[in-house]
Amino acid sequence: MIKAEKKVISNLTKCYSIAPLFYKGKNHFLVAAEKVDKCLLFDDDGNQEDVVWEEPGGVMTMVQVPGTDGQFLATHKFYSPNDSKEAKIVKVTPDGKGNWEVKTLVDLPFVHRFDILERNGVRYLIACALKSDHEYKDDWRFPGKVYAAVLPEDLSGYDEDHQLELTVLKDNMLKNHGYYRVEDQGVQTSVISCDSGIFQFVPPEKEGGEWEIRTLTGDAASDAVLVDFDGDGEKEIAAIAPFHGNKIRFYKKIDGAYKMVYEFGEDREFLHSIYGGMLCGRPAFVTGHRKGQRDLMVFFYNKEKDTYEMEYIDRDCGSANVYHYVKDGKDMLVSTNREIDEVALYTITEE
């Protein structure tokens, strides 16, 4: 059994996105709001150190630019699936004195998730648009896309008038919501989930080469991770489905194809937050949901019973996203409990 010790570190309205940031020689993390509100910088004890911006918000994703002292990319103006036509990716550069310069990297309507992957010394920006157009509320007639570009080391030349050029890697991705970075055989890859399935995007071996796109399953999913839960040397899929859905499913590779081997017996409304990796020395899947009971849960694989088991981290908190790190040998989990405007830091131990 695990024990979660909770500390509320901020009350940020509609808090949403979380990202690690190495800045001034120390580990930090960022938390930003989904609606028009702040982006905050915390040290790894959960103490607020700075306000990065006051607005515009609409932040779905933040990613540090590798090798920099605190420079990062962020989505701006993605306020909801119904209000994201003006969404863009911005670059944010600190001057070390408390000022953070925000400039446009690329306008990309409906950009929801993105990441920076490195392979053989080349950096790639991969960006996922939830949809490609929108005319009325809950309009899903225009499927999303995945874009990519080589990302230069020096980003200083990019702004509103000089934007990064993107190429479409894959289109026709309805409700293109899910993103998770997975290291696979030493290569940084992207697991991207939409209504037509779960896909793994592998960057080119060298600049100018082709991306490899693997179809992992054809089942609709909102988000998914790849983790070796049962310790057999082959990664399983843990997924929440369908879009903003209510099902928690685990898939195992059998005869070369992923088959669903476990589905959690309870429906959980609006599943959203997701983490797949080690927790208290065991492979774990953490997820939380934003409606109904609004619990934050963790699943472990029980080898003796050959099944997955759930434990609670927190109840009635409405987690939108989580970020895990280890400090002084202890497992820490940051959760943006969006539905109660609460940023929480959990210290998780085995009882």
Side-chain angles (χ1 to χ4, degrees), residues 17-270:
S17 187
I18 317 167
L21 193 76
F22 191 72
Y23 178 51
K24 293 185 173 179
K26 292 180 181 172
N27 292 318
H28 296 77
F29 59 87
L30 299 157
V31 176
E34 178 178 353
K35 302 301 181 185
V36 178
D37 215 323
K38 300 180 182 70
C39 174
L40 305 174
L41 178 75
F42 297 88
D43 66 21
D44 61 1
D45 287 317
N47 302 305
Q48 186 181 319
E49 280 196 358
D50 208 347
V51 177
V52 178
W53 62 69
E54 296 281 345
E55 54 179 63
V59 185
M60 297 290 103
T61 306
M62 299 180 285
V63 180
Q64 179 154 10
V65 178
T68 64
D69 184 25
Q71 185 183 54
F72 67 98
L73 306 183
T75 38
H76 270 186
K77 297 190 175 181
F78 186 112
Y79 298 114
S80 78
N82 292 311
D83 185 8
S84 49
K85 260 192 172 179
E86 294 183 5
K88 61 173 78 174
I89 299 175
V90 298
K91 62 183 172 79
V92 186
T93 311
D95 65 2
K97 301 170 187 169
N99 300 307
W100 301 78
E101 179 189 70
V102 179
K103 287 196 169 179
T104 299
L105 179 69
V106 58
D107 290 315
L108 185 56
F110 313 101
V111 61
H112 184 253
R113 301 277 187 242
F114 71 84
D115 200 2
I116 301 168
L117 302 181
E118 290 188 271
R119 187 173 187 188
N120 295 331
V122 183
R123 292 176 185 166
Y124 300 91
L125 178 75
I126 183 166
C128 310
L130 182 70
K131 52 174 79 168
S132 54
D133 202 358
H134 184 97
E135 290 177 0
Y136 50 82
K137 190 175 179 184
D138 297 331
D139 181 4
W140 293 106
R141 292 173 302 152
F142 308 94
K145 299 176 185 179
V146 175
Y147 300 82
V150 171
L151 191 69
E153 284 204 21
D154 181 8
L155 300 179
S156 59
Y158 293 102
D159 58 27
E160 187 71 39
D161 300 318
H162 307 86
Q163 299 194 12
L164 184 69
E165 211 168 297
L166 302 175
T167 302
V168 175
L169 290 184
K170 185 170 172 58
D171 59 11
N172 204 28
M173 299 180 75
L174 183 64
K175 298 179 179 175
N176 182 24
H177 179 269
Y179 181 90
Y180 210 86
R181 186 197 294 180
V182 172
E183 187 153 311
D184 199 358
Q185 297 177 329
V187 178
Q188 293 180 354
T189 74
S190 304
V191 172
I192 296 173
S193 309
C194 65
D195 259 24
S196 52
I198 301 169
F199 303 90
Q200 187 175 16
F201 287 70
V202 184
E205 207 166 326
K206 58 185 181 194
E207 190 172 340
E210 292 290 312
W211 285 73
E212 182 188 352
I213 304 172
R214 302 170 185 160
T215 302
L216 303 183
T217 83
D219 295 354
S222 193
D223 273 279
V225 298
L226 271 174
V227 174
D228 182 8
F229 291 106
D230 61 13
D232 68 349
E234 179 95 65
K235 288 184 170 76
E236 285 76 47
I237 296 172
I240 53 184
F243 173 66
H244 285 172
N246 56 352
K247 302 289 186 189
I248 298 165
R249 294 171 174 161
F250 289 81
Y251 295 77
K252 186 167 181 59
K253 199 176 249 192
I254 300 166
D255 299 328
Y258 279 102
K259 307 266 171 47
M260 189 169 69
V261 292
Y262 174 85
E263 183 175 270
F264 185 49
E266 300 173 28
D267 280 6
R268 295 299 180 115
E269 202 179 352
F270 204 160

Side-chain angles (χ1 to χ4, degrees), residues 262-303:
Y262 174 85
E263 183 175 270
F264 185 49
E266 300 173 28
D267 280 6
R268 295 299 180 115
E269 202 179 352
F270 204 160
L271 286 155
H272 203 277
S273 62
I274 190 165
Y275 163 70
M278 300 303 286
L279 190 70
C280 298
R282 291 188 282 163
F285 176 64
V286 175
T287 186
H289 60 114
R290 290 168 45 182
K291 288 186 178 175
Q293 304 100 312
R294 307 191 302 187
D295 296 328
L296 184 59
M297 305 165 283
V298 58
F299 288 80
F300 296 106
Y301 177 74
N302 184 323
K303 279 188 181 176

